Amino acid sequence: MKKVLMTQAMTENGISRFDGLYDENGFPVTAELEKNEDGVVFTLLHKELTEAEKQAVCDEYDDCAGCPIRGICAKDLGSDNLF
């Protein structure tokens, strides 16, 4: 995985967004840095996966035990009893 180094100086209140980043499982995320009078907050926002993207991930695993989106599937199916 490629490492990316970014720097930004925020001298006023506001929000900066960084797209084109991926989490440890390779899923796209947006990093958001917000500065206000209370301090600074850093948030990672996961993009909701399409059905085709979910299926592509599922196709890479023989069962649900090691799948990184197991929780998403369980929520969609209303069950924690996945393989």
Side-chain angles (χ1 to χ4, degrees), residues 6-19 21 30-36 39-45:
M6 291 184 226
T7 62
Q8 180 172 354
M10 293 183 71
T11 58
E12 296 182 14
N13 292 343
I15 297 175
S16 290
R17 287 185 181 88
F18 304 94
D19 294 310
L21 304 173
T30 296
E32 188 174 275
L33 184 65
E34 180 178 1
K35 181 179 184 255
N36 62 29
V40 177
V41 175
F42 180 76
T43 308
L44 284 179
L45 306 166

Side-chain angles (χ1 to χ4, degrees), residues 34-78:
E34 180 178 1
K35 181 179 184 255
N36 62 29
E37 57 278 343
D38 294 328
V40 177
V41 175
F42 180 76
T43 308
L44 284 179
L45 306 166
H46 281 93
K47 172 186 143 314
E48 188 168 337
L49 298 174
T50 65
E51 289 302 318
E53 290 170 326
K54 289 178 190 177
Q55 188 60 52
V57 172
C58 289
D59 290 344
E60 294 179 19
Y61 294 88
D62 293 331
D63 60 34
C64 295
C67 183
I69 63 168
R70 179 178 184 210
I72 295 171
C73 293
K75 190 185 325 176
D76 288 351
L77 297 174

